[in-house]
Amino acid sequence: MSPDVLTSGPVRSAADELSELNKQIRSLWSHPAVPLTDGQRAEYWRLCAELARVQRGDVATAA
C-alpha cells in the first residue's frame, strides 16, 4: 500500500483557516483608536490577501 500524500499530515479545513486568519487580523489592534504601525499595516494586507485566497479556494493544503 503506498502512502497517500494528501493525508500524510495535519490539514486544516478552509473554515479553520478562515477562523485563524480572522483571529490574526483582529489581534493586530490593541484598541480601535490606536492606528497600526507600518509593519502591522503590511501584515494586515498580507493576511487580507491570504484570506481572499482561502475564500476563493486557491489554497492547496495548509499545515
Side-chain angles (χ1 to χ4, degrees):
M1 180 188 277
S2 64
D4 186 354
V5 175
L6 296 177
T7 60
S8 64
V11 176
R12 289 191 281 189
S13 71
D16 290 341
E17 189 73 14
L18 289 172
S19 177
E20 180 61 28
L21 288 166
N22 277 314
K23 178 180 165 185
Q24 290 176 21
I25 289 168
R26 285 190 306 272
S27 74
L28 290 172
W29 280 275
S30 58
H31 187 276
V34 178
L36 297 177
T37 65
D38 290 342
Q40 289 170 318
R41 193 173 299 108
E43 178 68 0
Y44 170 79
W45 288 114
R46 186 193 69 75
L47 290 168
C48 286
E50 181 65 20
L51 188 73
R53 279 191 290 278
V54 171
Q55 288 173 329
R56 287 191 313 262
D58 290 350
V59 177
T61 57

